[in-house]
Amino acid sequence: MKLGRLNHIGVATPSIADSITHYRDVMGATSISTPFDLPEQGVKVCFVDTPTDTGLNGTQIELIEPFDDASPINGFLAKNPAGGQHHVCFEVPDIAAARAEFEGMGKRILGPTRIGAHGTPIFFLHPKDMQGMLTEIMETPIDH
Ligand code: CO
């Protein structure tokens, strides 16, 4: 495995609009994307950028709100009505190689490799095999 940078922390929220207000007014975030629907993943998504010394490629907060009653994050929000940390996402240089390595280590992978909210291939690893954290693996975006 070749660990890349922490791309984002996934934060489930019952209201992206309320979370945007929080990150802007309480946390002082100045770079927040326009929310968009990702119906095939069952979520609405919004990215909050954190700054870096270079001004580029800061770790993001990925706000996710249920898209509908079948959303995979409905269960999480039922247990955590105020929302909270849902997953962490690390970049890797080669998604297929990373998947094969995790499989070789006996880690449970949740579903197929698919295109995630950033337009790059991703997959998720079972939290029980990952120190209690639902872990997303993302191929490093080409423009980074
Ligand atoms: Co994510």
Side-chain angles (χ1 to χ4, degrees):
M1 230 328 263
K2 186 169 186 337
L3 178 66
R5 80 185 185 99
L6 178 62
N7 182 280
H8 65 266
I9 297 170
V11 174
T13 173
S15 167
I16 280 179
D18 287 352
S19 292
I20 287 174
T21 300
H22 170 82
Y23 279 98
R24 187 188 59 217
D25 295 350
V26 178
M27 299 300 288
T30 57
S31 177
I32 302 175
S33 79
T34 302
F36 58 97
D37 294 340
L38 210 60
E40 59 274 19
Q41 311 268 358
V43 290
K44 302 175 191 177
V45 184
C46 174
F47 301 121
V48 179
D49 295 330
T50 65
T52 62
D53 290 344
T54 61
L56 292 171
N57 303 337
T59 297
Q60 293 175 320
I61 300 294
E62 178 186 80
L63 299 170
I64 45 177
E65 177 188 321
F67 177 72
D68 57 22
D69 289 345
S71 177
I73 64 170
N74 283 336
F76 180 91
L77 284 170
K79 284 184 222 144
N80 307 276
Q85 184 182 319
H86 179 263
H87 66 271
V88 291
C89 177
F90 296 102
E91 293 179 7
V92 296
D94 182 333
I95 194 89
R99 186 176 178 111
E101 287 182 61
F102 283 118
E103 281 174 341
M105 290 185 276
K107 303 298 185 187
R108 282 167 286 182
I109 297 175
L110 303 171
T113 300
R114 52 199 180 272
I115 300 300
H118 292 75
T120 58
I122 62 108
F123 61 82
F124 283 92
L125 291 152
H126 198 295
K128 288 195 172 144
D129 294 343
M130 297 300 288
Q131 304 280 298
M133 288 198 299
L134 177 60
T135 302
E136 180 180 359
I137 301 295
M138 171 200 284
E139 189 157 280
T140 301
I142 288 163
D143 61 354
H144 277 213

